[in-house]
């Protein structure tokens, strides 16, 4: 159980899982009385690329030399 592995309350874990699922970063599959969660790797890669593009340091521009 995920809650047993984290120093967080059940409601806090549930809220975070809900938010991660709502943006597509994780997927949930019902299993008996529980839900099995897995990472959506393609969506995670898309977010990673977007963050890298957003926060990448600008490349130094080459100076044009006239001589």
């Amino acid at each position: 159980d995920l809650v047993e592995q984290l120093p967080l309350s059940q409601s806090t874990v549930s809220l975070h899982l809900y938010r991660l699922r709502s943006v597509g970063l994780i997927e949930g599959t019902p299993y008996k009385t529980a839900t099995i969660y897995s990472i959506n790797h393609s969506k995670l890669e898309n977010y990673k690329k977007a963050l890298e593009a957003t926060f990448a340091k600008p490349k130094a521009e080459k100076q044009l030399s006239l001589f």
Side-chain angles (χ1 to χ4, degrees):
D1 190 36
L2 189 57
V3 174
E4 295 171 0
Q5 303 298 316
L6 300 170
L8 302 169
S9 69
Q10 171 70 52
S11 61
T12 300
V13 172
S14 294
L15 178 60
H16 283 79
L17 290 172
Y18 169 79
R19 290 184 175 164
L20 290 169
R21 195 172 179 184
S22 69
V23 297
L25 285 174
I26 63 172
E27 298 168 340
T29 303
Y31 179 74
K32 296 184 181 181
T33 59
T35 302
I36 306 299
Y37 290 98
S38 59
I39 296 170
N40 181 335
H41 291 281
S42 62
K43 189 73 134 183
L44 182 61
E45 186 63 29
N46 290 342
Y47 275 99
K48 180 183 171 195
K49 288 177 183 177
L51 286 170
E52 287 172 346
T54 301
F55 295 106
K57 293 182 181 178
K59 295 180 180 178
E61 295 181 23
K62 294 183 179 180
Q63 292 184 344
L64 180 59
S65 176
L66 298 176
F67 303 99

